Amino acid sequence: MEENFFERVYAIARQIPEGRVTSYGAIAKALGTARSARMVGWAMNASHNMDDIPAHRVVNRKGLLSGKHHFDGTNLMQQLLENEGIEVVDNQIVDFEKHFWQPMMDL
């Protein structure tokens, strides 16, 4: 079951547009498991060797780069986001609402 859940998480994560971000909770809600944001986080942590999963585009519900310590290098997550035009200050996305991608609405 866990592997299937992870695959469902990755299917959504692959669709996050460049220059946009979503949250662990938004992915969980799109999967019909609103209380499983933590499991989405586990799935994202397990995806770091998968080049087709844009894990850097998944942040916490306040726009904080809560998973940044899972990336190689001190600021890799921030650098990847900034390369896509997303400004990050103090580990938080500036204009989070503007960049937020809602899987429930956009899929």
Side-chain angles (χ1 to χ4, degrees):
M1 178 178 154
E2 182 178 288
E3 188 174 319
N4 184 33
F5 179 81
F6 281 21
E7 284 305 317
R8 291 169 58 212
V9 169
Y10 300 151
I12 291 176
R14 286 184 187 101
Q15 297 178 62
I16 305 168
E18 186 173 324
R20 305 287 297 280
V21 293
T22 196
S23 68
Y24 303 103
I27 291 175
K29 192 173 183 179
L31 294 172
T33 56
R35 289 195 240 177
S36 296
R38 180 167 285 150
M39 285 183 66
V40 172
W42 295 338
M44 298 316 299
N45 292 343
S47 75
H48 288 291
N49 294 327
M50 305 165 121
D51 292 337
D52 65 328
I53 310 293
H56 63 284
R57 296 181 189 149
V58 183
V59 297
N60 83 359
R61 62 188 169 88
K62 296 179 180 173
L64 288 168
L65 310 190
S66 54
K68 75 177 235 160
H69 59 280
H70 294 284
F71 286 81
D72 292 335
T74 314
N75 287 314
L76 180 59
M77 185 177 187
Q78 180 172 334
Q79 290 168 350
L80 291 168
L81 289 168
E82 289 175 343
N83 289 346
E84 295 183 9
I86 297 174
E87 186 181 356
V88 178
V89 175
D90 293 329
N91 294 319
Q92 187 156 19
I93 293 172
V94 176
D95 293 328
F96 179 55
E97 296 78 21
K98 181 180 105 176
H99 296 290
F100 190 76
W101 179 75
Q102 180 61 261
M104 289 286 289
M105 306 295 277
D106 296 327
L107 287 180

